[in-house]
Amino acid sequence: MSNRANYEAFYRRSITDREGFWREQAALIDWHQPFDSVLDYNRPPFAKWFVNGLTNICYNAIDRHLAARGEQAAVIWVSTEVDRVEEISYRQLYQRVNAMASLLVEMGITKGDRVLIYLPMIPEAIIAMYACTRIGAVHSVVFGGFASGALASRIDDAAPKLIITADAGMRGGKVTDYKSLLRDGLAAITVEAPKVLVINRHLTTTPCPLPGEVDFAEAVVRHVGKEVPPVWVESSHPSYILYTSGTTGRPKGVQRDTGGYAVAMRASMRHIYGVEPGDVMFTGSDVGWVVGHSYIVYAPLLTGATTILYEGLPIRPDPGVWWSLVAKYHAKCMFTSPTAIRLLKKTGVEWIRKYDLSCLRTLFLAGEPLDKETHRWVSEALHGSVVDNYWQTETGWPILTNFAGLGLLDLKFGSPTVPAYGYETLLMDEHTGEKVGANAKGSLMIKPPLPPGCMTTVWGDDARFVETYFSRFKELYYATFDYAMVDDDGYYFIMGRDDDVINVAGHRLGTREVEEALCTHPSVAEAAAVGIKDDLKGQEIEAFVVLMSNVVPPSEDELKNVVVRQIGGIAKPKFLHIVTALPKTRSGKVIRRAILAIAEGRDPGDLPTIEDAKTLDIIRDAVHLR
Ligand code: ATP
Ligand code: MG
């Protein structure tokens, strides 16, 4: 059977025999008590997977592998910030997770309690996450780069009993004082103050004692060698809370279950990522993002594979550092973001060519549009398969992807290929909600129930779950809020966010179409396009372009004409500005709503997840020069 026919059959069965399909996938993990039924969908859109099954993620990710692979590395930690490498075997990880779990129990943490984890990319981040899931506590990991405001709102939302933090993190050799950020965050909270457990790395010279803090190294000594039996939880028991990036509005607290997530993670490694026990996976992301949760922490260990945890920048000490890790540890699968690859692209192909990367079977990229040029460049540089996969914090694993495990389908640059098994995707006209056919654009929707592993609700707010995601049109469909097109072969193309769609004199353009066109100019590094109000045409396009380093700036007309040549006169930007940076979230996504607000002379409002607020002034200055 061809790979395409194989995929079609696999996909079709996941939709037409949903329960049979997922019952088979559920056998990929261990159940302490078997589930009564595969799916309870009596209360749409709330889906419960593997009803009344009892399991534990930590048990499945660690204990289960001890007999066969106790001495195999579970985690390889590489820090180019503090120049350290640590290989942690499954047995050692078991011991360290148990010691921390025992300490958490002593500190009064029990099933259902929330624990906020605010840590840099160190082994204790993984250990803390598993210590929580071992005892049924619900973790909420907050990205280490977030400042006090974002921290405070997440503490208020989850009301954790405990916060696990470090004295400091390092990025590019610069120390970030976590404790002082936490102190300011705690000063702003409205809920009861949580206990604080500190992993002291001795990186800061400015001590910042927090009231009642517990020093991890001192406290854990009494727990070394202790074993804490895994707490068997119902499949629907929450495993964690994680917030979306906040690109389009206030971040949403995604709640994930236990059984469905564990099954989805293990199944995705088999069918999508093509990773099996004993393989090595390197995910260049952060444990604070969904890609880190799923593909640094949970999926690799649920599989019995080895995960590489990297603390540092991808270009330091040199731009070959990631490839050196792939070669050294024989990573079979690598996963990172298009932004990271674009950064490496600027430094030249020789950094990739320097290493023997024959071990690397597939590179996966997700998080934002992967422009055709970058897709082509990295595929050629690696002489290999590069898979664009499209998903969201909400889903926890790919919605649209190609399949290294099942057998790769032909790749098309610019497309994240086809729907993953379990996702019944369709496009609807963003205004009328009518279904659209091949080669027409529309909002990407998913017919519920959402498959296992996806969010089960918004933390503490069932109503917001229904209102936010299931009220886009009159049917109870899940809205991704992305704008897409499907071609005649059933391949999807993501064109941007659906509320950013630009309508010029009746022609609907996704922001990505304009941005991608601009990016084909050899001097352009990145671009953002927005549709500003225009009395005559409805909307006009205003574009902002960041150039590659060390290039002679092209004229604005030259850049506008690139768009005309690629798309047509209709897409010609009315205004185009060359700027030094774009406003982005901490997770690297362009905040177009802020750009649009400034371009239309409005206040961009509260942007708690913005990486650098100074970029707003850059946009303001550019707009003033119109
Ligand atoms: P918020 O929902 O809070 O506004 P966000 O949508 O940026 O923030 P994430 O869950 O981190 O939060 O990002 C998911 C979004 O990222 C997707 O909805 C999509 O817009 C974009 N995205 C992810 N992967 C891809 C991809 N492969 N191609 C194009 N866009 C992608
Ligand atoms: Mg989103």
Side-chain angles (χ1 to χ4, degrees):
M1 209 173 7
S2 71
N3 285 355
R4 179 76 200 207
N6 185 36
Y7 157 75
E8 300 276 0
F10 194 75
Y11 175 79
R12 208 172 315 115
R13 176 154 180 252
S14 77
I15 303 299
T16 55
D17 177 20
R18 206 183 294 276
E19 302 202 2
F21 179 90
W22 286 108
R23 183 181 297 281
E24 269 169 32
Q25 305 306 319
L28 288 167
I29 69 157
D30 284 2
W31 296 87
H32 182 66
Q33 175 185 296
F35 43 88
D36 298 336
S37 59
V38 174
L39 171 67
D40 172 357
Y41 195 54
N42 291 321
R43 197 166 68 95
F46 298 91
K48 279 189 174 175
W49 287 96
F50 312 119
V51 184
N52 293 332
L54 290 182
T55 189
N56 182 286
I57 291 195
C58 179
Y59 173 86
N60 270 289
I62 302 176
D63 306 35
R64 184 163 71 123
H65 308 307
L66 289 179
R69 44 192 82 250
E71 310 322 313
Q72 179 196 308
V75 179
I76 299 175
W77 177 53
V78 178
S79 171
T80 52
E81 297 292 350
V82 295
D83 265 326
R84 270 188 65 188
V85 176
E86 205 177 305
E87 290 197 22
I88 304 169
S89 68
Y90 270 96
R91 193 169 312 286
Q92 289 165 331
L93 185 65
Y94 173 82
Q95 289 158 352
R96 291 174 70 174
V97 167
N98 272 277
M100 193 184 287
S102 171
L103 172 60
L104 296 190
V105 170
E106 186 191 71
M107 294 181 84
I109 307 301
T110 56
K111 181 182 167 191
D113 287 343
R114 273 81 59 210
V115 175
L116 190 136
I117 298 174
Y118 181 56
L119 286 174
M121 292 284 282
I122 55 177
E124 285 78 5
I126 296 184
I127 293 166
M129 291 164 81
Y130 279 115
C132 286
T133 46
R134 187 167 193 82
I135 60 174
V138 181
H139 61 67
S140 168
V141 179
V142 177
F143 173 60
F146 274 131
S148 49
L151 204 45
S153 66
R154 283 160 181 71
I155 298 173
D156 277 342
D157 197 34
K161 246 191 180 169
L162 173 72
I163 297 183
I164 305 177
T165 190
D167 56 341
M170 266 174 91
R171 207 171 154 70
K174 218 180 111 236
V175 174
T176 306
D177 215 328
Y178 279 41
K179 273 172 73 187
S180 60
L181 290 167
L182 180 57
R183 179 197 52 206
D184 296 347
L186 287 170
I189 61 172
T190 56
V191 293
E192 196 181 325
K195 295 180 182 169
V196 179
L197 181 62
V198 181
I199 319 268
N200 213 324
R201 308 178 75 194
H202 307 286
L203 289 179
T204 113
T205 46
T206 47
C208 169
L210 297 168
E213 72 173 68
V214 175
D215 181 275
F216 177 69
E218 273 172 29
V220 82
V221 178
R222 285 175 283 110
H223 299 271
V224 172
K226 295 229 174 108
E227 295 195 4
V228 179
V231 172
W232 302 111
V233 299
E234 310 72 44
S235 178
S236 59
H237 178 72
S239 55
Y240 66 78
I241 309 165
L242 180 64
Y243 294 85
T244 59
S245 295
T247 313
T248 60
R250 186 160 62 95
K252 293 149 283 217
V254 166
Q255 176 175 323
R256 196 94 68 208
D257 73 352
T258 296
Y261 185 60
V263 169
M265 286 298 98
R266 179 63 191 95
S268 71
M269 291 300 262
R270 169 149 302 168
H271 309 306
I272 299 175
Y273 297 95
V275 177
E276 289 296 336
D279 289 341
V280 178
M281 177 157 187
F282 172 35
T283 298
S285 176
D286 192 284
V287 291
W289 310 130
V290 70
V291 172
H293 274 61
S294 289
Y295 295 105
I296 296 174
V297 181
Y298 285 116
L301 301 195
L302 282 161
T303 302
T306 299
T307 188
I308 298 177
L309 176 74
Y310 175 72
E311 180 183 40
L313 301 178
I315 46 165
R316 191 173 169 271
D318 64 53
V321 58
W322 277 8
W323 313 111
S324 79
L325 297 180
V326 171
K328 180 168 177 199
Y329 297 110
H330 304 285
K332 182 180 179 189
C333 181
M334 182 172 163
F335 190 163
T336 188
S337 65
T339 323
I341 297 299
R342 279 193 284 268
L343 181 70
L344 295 176
K345 185 174 150 197
K346 281 193 202 163
T347 65
V349 74
E350 57 276 17
W351 292 106
I352 300 187
R353 292 280 159 75
K354 208 175 141 192
Y355 297 94
D356 173 7
L357 301 175
S358 51
C359 56
L360 183 65
R361 203 168 124 204
T362 328
L363 168 65
F364 284 85
L365 299 173
E368 26 151 2
L370 172 61
D371 59 281
K372 283 186 200 149
E373 283 313 307
T374 304
H375 200 167
R376 182 174 297 119
W377 178 84
V378 66
S379 304
E380 280 167 12
L382 289 171
H383 302 299
S385 313
V386 177
V387 170
D388 180 5
N389 55 135
Y390 158 86
W391 44 294
Q392 308 180 304
T393 307
E394 289 87 342
T395 63
W397 61 283
I399 304 170
L400 302 173
T401 188
N402 209 316
F403 305 87
L406 287 177
L408 277 186
L409 309 183
D410 292 340
L411 290 154
K412 288 192 191 184
F413 293 137
S415 165
T417 323
V418 292
Y421 50 90
Y423 290 97
E424 212 175 337
T425 49
L426 66 157
L427 301 185
M428 292 175 135
D429 183 282
E430 74 277 17
H431 298 298
T432 63
E434 296 298 321
K435 292 193 182 96
V436 307
N439 298 309
K441 302 174 206 169
S443 290
L444 177 59
M445 310 292 292
I446 302 168
K447 193 168 169 210
L450 295 176
C454 292
M455 77 187 296
T456 47
T457 188
V458 170
W459 173 256
D461 199 345
D462 282 354
R464 189 171 176 210
F465 178 61
V466 182
E467 272 156 32
T468 305
Y469 297 105
F470 291 91
S471 312
R472 182 81 170 79
F473 303 116
K474 57 179 189 301
E475 293 96 338
L476 199 68
Y477 286 177
Y478 173 88
T480 63
F481 298 102
D482 287 307
Y483 193 55
M485 196 195 80
V486 189
D487 71 7
D488 292 323
D489 298 326
Y491 278 55
Y492 281 69
F493 293 80
I494 300 290
M495 329 285 280
R497 309 278 181 154
D498 69 3
D499 50 4
D500 290 338
V501 171
I502 305 171
N503 195 325
V504 192
H507 297 263
R508 293 136 72 225
L509 289 167
T511 49
R512 177 177 182 174
E513 297 176 72
V514 180
E515 291 162 5
E516 176 115 25
L518 285 165
C519 286
T520 61
H521 190 286
S523 302
V524 173
E526 51 180 353
V530 294
I532 52 166
K533 274 199 203 80
D534 182 86
D535 292 341
L536 215 59
K537 297 188 179 173
Q539 276 179 325
E540 282 278 17
I541 297 172
E542 181 150 10
F544 299 80
V545 166
V546 179
L547 299 180
M548 301 279 207
S549 28
N550 309 322
V551 292
V552 181
S555 72
E556 287 175 11
D557 277 340
E558 182 181 338
L559 291 171
K560 286 180 184 175
N561 285 330
V562 174
V563 183
V564 175
R565 272 200 307 278
Q566 299 265 333
I567 311 177
I570 193 75
K572 184 174 183 175
K574 180 167 184 188
F575 304 111
L576 185 141
H577 316 275
I578 292 173
V579 293
T580 50
L582 300 170
K584 289 189 180 172
T585 63
R586 299 256 170 186
S587 58
K589 295 169 201 273
V590 174
I591 313 177
R592 288 183 197 76
R593 72 186 154 111
I595 300 179
L596 178 62
I598 294 171
E600 291 186 337
R602 289 179 285 117
D603 176 9
D606 201 19
L607 300 165
T609 63
I610 194 167
E611 161 105 57
D612 178 2
K614 284 198 288 293
T615 51
L616 299 174
D617 296 327
I618 295 176
I619 301 296
R620 261 182 217 112
D621 292 347
V623 168
H624 279 146
L625 292 176
R626 265 183 206 151

